[in-house]
C-alpha cells in the first residue's frame, strides 16, 4: 500500500480514540494496585500532568503478560493497543527502523548529537499525551504531528511540521528587565521572553542559576537571545548503534553577549547572562518520539544571585533602548566600536554590581570609562574630562556649564572614594555616591552612544 500522510493519520486517529476509551478501567485498576498520581492545582485550576509514564508501563505489562490469567485480563487492552502499534509500524520510517524481526518494538532515535533507545508503546503514550493537550480533535492533530516529524527523516525537502515542532533553538538565557514582546537583533538572532519558550525549557535546567522563588510562574525577568534552527531525526535499528563525533553549529554567543551589554547600557538596567544552551527542541516532539525532554548541551555563565523581588514590579525594557542598542550593534565591526568595547563591558558590569563595595566600584567603573573615552594626558584630568564632555554633549554655554559642574561633582566623589574621607567635605561627597552614579552614568551613556553612532569625521 502506497504511503500518504493523510491516509496514515486517518487510520491512526480513530484507533487512538478507541484505545483511550478501552484503557480507562485498566489504568484505574493499575493506580488502585500501586498508587494514584498526586493531584496538582494552582488558583483552582487542575495542573496534574498527563500520566504518560503510567500508561507506557501499563502497555508494557499487557504486552509482556505470560500467565493465562494475565493474558485473559489484558486481552481487551491488547486488542485495542495492537492495531495502533500496527499502524505505527506501517509508516515507512518506522518500518525501516524496526526491521522484519517479529515482536521487535525497539529502535534508536538520534536528535542532533544525542541518540536514545525507544519503543512503540512509548510513542503511543506520547501520542495520547499530545492528544490530551490539544483537546478537541486531539487524536487527529497528534497523529498529523507525529507523521510529519517521521517524514522529516526521509526527505531533504522542507516539511511544515504543525505547531513549529520542527523548529529548535540555541539559547543564551539572561536575567534583566521585563521583555513584553520579542524582537529581532539581526537575521537569525532574536530576543524572546523566556515565558514563550516554556515548551523548550525545563525549570530543572536553570533552577541552580536563578533565585529559588523564581519559577515558571514568574519568568518576567528571564529572557533569551535565540538562534532558531530546523532539525531532522535519524532512525536506526536497535542493533545499529554508532558512536559519532558531535557536530556543533557556529558560535552565536559572542554577538549575543555584545548586544546584551549594549542593551544593558541603553536601558540603564543590569542584564546578566547566566546560561548558554544548545539544541533545545520542543518537548512534545521528544514525547511523540517516546523520548524524555532534553537539550543538546549547556554551559553555565554565572548565577543571578539575590536580585529577584516577587513583590516588586520589574524594570521594563523600553522600545527606545532597543532601537538605540540595535543602531550601536550594527557598528560592532567598526574601528571606533573596537576602541570603545572595553567601556561597554565595564559600564554593563557597573550596572550589575552588588555587595558591600558595589556603590564605590560603580563610581570607579564610570571614572575609568570616562578616561578611556576621552584619553586625557598629563595633569588636571577632572578639568579635561569636564571640557571634553561639555564639548561633546553641550548644546549651548549654559548646558555646557551644567555638564562641567556634574562631572566635577562626580570626580569629587571619586576622589573621596580613592583617597578616603579625610575631611568633612569628602565625607559629604561619599554620602552623595548614588546621585553621583546616576548623573555620571547618564552623561557617560550619552557620550558613549554619540561616539558610537557618529561618523569619524564628525567626531574629529
Amino acid at each position: 500500500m502506497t504511503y500518504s500522510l493523510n491516509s496514515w493519520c486517518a487510520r491512526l486517529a480513530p484507533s487512538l480514540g478507541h484505545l483511550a476509551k478501552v484503557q480507562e478501567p485498566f489504568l484505574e485498576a493499575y493506580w488502585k494496585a500501586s498508587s494514584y498520581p498526586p493531584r496538582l492545582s494552582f488558583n483552582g485550576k487542575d495542573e496534574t500532568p498527563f500520566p504518560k509514564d503510567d500508561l507506557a508501563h501499563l502497555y508494557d505489562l499487557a504486552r509482556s503478560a505470560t500467565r493465562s490469567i494475565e493474558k485473559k485480563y489484558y486481552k481487551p487492552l491488547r486488542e485495542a493497543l495492537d492495531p495502533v502499534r500496527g499502524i505505527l509500524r506501517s509508516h515507512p520510517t518506522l518500518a525501516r527502523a524496526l526491521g522484519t524481526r517479529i515482536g521487535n518494538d525497539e529502535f534508536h532515535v538520534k536528535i542532533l548529537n544525542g541518540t536514545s533507545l525507544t519503543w512503540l508503546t512509548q510513542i503511543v503514550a506520547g501520542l495520547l499525551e499530545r492528544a490530551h493537550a490539544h483537546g478537541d480533535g486531539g487524536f487527529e492533530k497528534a497523529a498529523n504531528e507525529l507523521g510529519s516529524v517521521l517524514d522529516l527523516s526521509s526527505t531533504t525537502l522542507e516539511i511544515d511540521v504543525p505547531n513549529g515542532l520542527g523548529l529548535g533553538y540555541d539559547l543564551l538565557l539572561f536575567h534583566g528587565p521585563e521583555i513584553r514582546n520579542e524582537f529581532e537583533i539581526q537575521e537569525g538572532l532574536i530576543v524572546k521572553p523566556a515565558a514563550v519558550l516554556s515548551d523548550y525549557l525545563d525549570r530543572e535546567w536553570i533552577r541552580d542559576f536563578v533565585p529559588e522563588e523564581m519559577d515558571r510562574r514568574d519568568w518576567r525577568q528571564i529572557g533569551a537571545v535565540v538562534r532558531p534552527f530546523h532539525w531532522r531525526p535519524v532512525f536506526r535499528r536497535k542493533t545499529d548503534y554508532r558512536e559519532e563525533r558531535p557536530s556543533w553549529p557556529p558560535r552565536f554567543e559572542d554577538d549575543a553577549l555584545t548586544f546584551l551589554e549594549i542593551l544593558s547600557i541603553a536601558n540603564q538596567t543590569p542584564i546578566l547572562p547566566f546560561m548558554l544552551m544548545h539544541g533545545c527542541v520542543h518537548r512534545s516532539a521528544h514525547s511523540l518520539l517516546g523520548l524524555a525532554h532534553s537539550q543538546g548541551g549547556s554551559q553555565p555563565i554565572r548565577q543571578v544571585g539575590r536580585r529577584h523581588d516577587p513583590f516588586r514590579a520589574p524594570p521594563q525594557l523600553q522600545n527606545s533602548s532597543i532601537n538605540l542598542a540595535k543602531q550601536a550593534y550594527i557598528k560592532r565591526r567598526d574601528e571606533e566600536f573596537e576602541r570603545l568595547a572595553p567601556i561597554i563591558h565595564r559600564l554593563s558590569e557597573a550596572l550589575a554590581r552588588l555587595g558591600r563595595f558595589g556603590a564605590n566600584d560603580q563610581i570607579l567603573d564610570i571614572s575609568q570609562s570616562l578616561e578611556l573615552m576621552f584619553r586625557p594626558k598629563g595633569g588636571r584630568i577632572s578639568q579635561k574630562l569636564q571640557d571634553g564632555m561639555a564639548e561633546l554633549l553641550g548644546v549651548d554655554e549654559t548646558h555646557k556649564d551644567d555638564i562641567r559642574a556634574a562631572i566635577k561633582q562626580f570626580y569629587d566623589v571619586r576622589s573621596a572614594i580613592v583617597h578616603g574621607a579625610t575631611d568633612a567635605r569628602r565625607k559629604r561627597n561619599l554620602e552623595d555616591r548614588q546621585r553621583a552614579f546616576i548623573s555620571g552614568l547618564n552623561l557617560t551613556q550619552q557620550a558613549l552612544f554619540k561616539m558610537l553612532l557618529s561618523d569619524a569625521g564628525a567626531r574629529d
Side-chain angles (χ1 to χ4, degrees), residues 2-35:
T2 304
Y3 164 79
S4 76
L5 177 60
N6 290 338
S7 62
W8 186 79
C9 293
R11 293 163 54 216
L12 180 58
S15 296
L16 287 171
H18 178 62
L19 173 62
K21 292 178 182 178
V22 170
Q23 72 190 12
E24 287 181 6
F26 291 92
L27 187 58
E28 183 71 19
Y30 173 84
W31 285 335
K32 283 183 179 179
S34 53
S35 63

Side-chain angles (χ1 to χ4, degrees), residues 170-174 201 205-206 209 248-249 251-254 257 272-280 295-303:
D170 296 321
L171 309 171
L172 179 66
L173 293 161
F174 62 86
L201 283 171
W205 299 350
I206 65 172
F209 300 91
W248 300 106
R251 290 172 62 90
F252 80 102
E253 53 267 32
D254 296 332
L257 288 167
L272 287 83
F274 63 87
M275 179 170 283
L276 175 67
M277 287 187 180
H278 287 287
C280 296
Q295 33 91 358
S298 61
Q299 177 182 337
I301 299 174
R302 71 196 298 175
Q303 290 186 326

Side-chain angles (χ1 to χ4, degrees), residues 153-404:
S153 69
S154 58
T155 180
T156 57
L157 301 175
E158 288 190 12
I159 293 178
D160 184 19
V161 182
N163 301 307
L165 297 192
L167 189 67
Y169 295 107
D170 296 321
L171 309 171
L172 179 66
L173 293 161
F174 62 86
H175 180 277
E178 182 177 6
I179 301 170
R180 296 189 179 275
N181 300 295
E182 67 176 62
F183 60 91
E184 188 176 64
I185 301 172
Q186 63 182 40
E187 185 177 358
L189 211 58
I190 306 164
V191 174
K192 290 176 177 281
V196 305
L197 297 167
S198 59
D199 286 325
Y200 296 84
L201 283 171
D202 279 355
R203 177 174 175 257
E204 291 74 16
W205 299 350
I206 65 172
R207 67 164 34 142
D208 292 337
F209 300 91
V210 296
E212 191 174 315
E213 63 273 13
M214 181 182 287
D215 61 16
R216 188 171 295 146
R217 303 188 196 287
D218 194 2
W219 277 14
R220 291 173 297 171
Q221 287 190 252
I222 301 181
V225 182
V226 307
R227 177 175 61 184
F229 63 84
H230 293 278
W231 64 277
R232 295 177 187 273
V234 176
F235 298 85
R236 296 195 181 109
R237 296 188 181 184
K238 179 182 178 181
T239 55
D240 186 20
Y241 180 78
R242 310 174 192 175
E243 287 285 351
E244 296 179 318
R245 174 174 290 183
S247 174
W248 300 106
R251 290 172 62 90
F252 80 102
E253 53 267 32
D254 296 332
D255 284 345
L257 288 167
T258 297
F259 178 79
L260 291 180
E261 286 187 339
I262 300 171
L263 184 63
S264 173
I265 300 167
N267 205 62
Q268 293 195 15
T269 49
I271 295 179
L272 287 83
F274 63 87
M275 179 170 283
L276 175 67
M277 287 187 180
H278 287 287
C280 296
V281 174
H282 199 292
R283 74 176 70 253
S284 293
H286 279 109
S287 182
L288 286 168
L289 294 175
L291 306 173
H293 192 213
S294 62
Q295 33 91 358
S298 61
Q299 177 182 337
I301 299 174
R302 71 196 298 175
Q303 290 186 326
V304 172
R306 303 296 302 178
R307 297 173 183 272
H308 179 69
D309 185 351
F311 302 106
R312 216 173 143 189
Q316 301 293 306
L317 181 60
Q318 305 299 323
N319 288 331
S320 57
S321 301
I322 296 172
N323 294 331
L324 185 61
K326 289 168 72 171
Q327 292 175 51
Y329 175 78
I330 293 172
K331 304 277 190 176
R332 68 191 183 283
R333 310 295 183 204
D334 293 357
E335 184 178 334
E336 182 70 353
F337 188 98
E338 184 176 345
R339 183 182 80 82
L340 297 173
I343 300 167
I344 294 171
H345 181 69
R346 185 172 280 272
L347 288 177
S348 66
E349 283 294 312
L351 286 162
R353 290 200 187 278
L354 291 174
R356 182 180 177 187
F357 299 105
N360 289 353
D361 290 340
Q362 286 179 320
I363 297 292
L364 299 179
D365 284 327
I366 290 179
S367 66
Q368 178 68 19
S369 298
L370 286 171
E371 292 179 24
L372 288 171
M373 291 169 74
F374 290 98
R375 297 177 283 195
K377 297 178 181 178
R380 304 186 65 200
I381 290 177
S382 175
Q383 185 62 52
K384 291 176 181 177
L385 292 176
Q386 293 172 41
D387 294 338
M389 188 71 84
E391 289 302 316
L392 180 66
L393 299 179
V395 295
D396 54 37
E397 288 305 317
T398 301
H399 188 214
K400 290 179 180 180
D401 288 342
D402 290 340
I403 292 173
R404 289 189 181 94

